[in-house]
């Protein structure tokens, strides 16, 4: 027995082609979106961080979007210097002083 064709095979063919094009376009958009997300946050790291004269770096850690440098001067006093690694600029510091009885 022979199969019967639908009354309008051109219309069915057009629908299949259009859906195929939409599927390929959506796959391309998905791959593009995935590739841009994998790139992550744009921005570089400052090439040089200058530690103030007379101070030495004791410890470095991250806190949020900043680096925190623990610095010690020649007298033994310490302070925390906050640095934005993308720009190398410091928004401020915290002085650490011993508690007096």
């Amino acid at each position: 027995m022979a199969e019967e064709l639908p009354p309008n095979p051109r219309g069915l063919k057009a629908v299949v082609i259009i859906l195929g094009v939409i599927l390929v376009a959506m796959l391309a958009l998905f791959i593009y979106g995935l590739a841009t997300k994998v790139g992550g946050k744009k921005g570089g790291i400052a090439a040089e961080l200058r530690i103030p004269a007379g101070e030495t770096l004791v410890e470095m850690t991250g806190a949020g979007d900043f680096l925190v440098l623990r610095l010690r001067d020649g007298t033994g006093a310490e302070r925390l210097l906050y640095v934005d690694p993308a720009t190398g600029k410091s928004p401020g510091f915290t002085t650490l002083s011993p508690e007096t009885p």
Side-chain angles (χ1 to χ4, degrees):
M1 297 192 145
E3 290 185 33
E4 290 185 31
L5 293 175
N8 188 1
R10 270 193 202 163
L12 183 60
K13 193 183 240 186
V15 168
V16 169
I17 290 171
I18 290 170
L19 289 175
V21 168
I22 290 172
L23 181 67
V24 169
M26 294 200 51
L27 182 62
L29 286 173
F30 174 74
I31 291 172
Y32 172 76
L34 188 63
T36 56
K37 289 289 183 187
V38 170
K41 186 177 178 181
K42 303 293 184 218
I45 296 176
E48 182 176 359
L49 294 175
R50 295 188 182 265
I51 296 174
E55 294 185 333
T56 57
L57 179 64
V58 176
E59 182 181 9
M60 179 174 62
T61 187
D65 291 338
F66 293 101
L67 287 176
V68 180
L69 309 177
R70 186 164 59 117
L71 304 173
R72 182 177 295 141
D73 66 11
T75 64
E78 293 185 351
R79 68 183 181 132
L80 301 176
L81 179 67
Y82 305 95
V83 179
D84 182 354
T87 63
K89 295 183 180 180
S90 173
F93 62 90
T94 302
T95 303
L96 302 174
S97 57
E99 184 178 347
T100 56

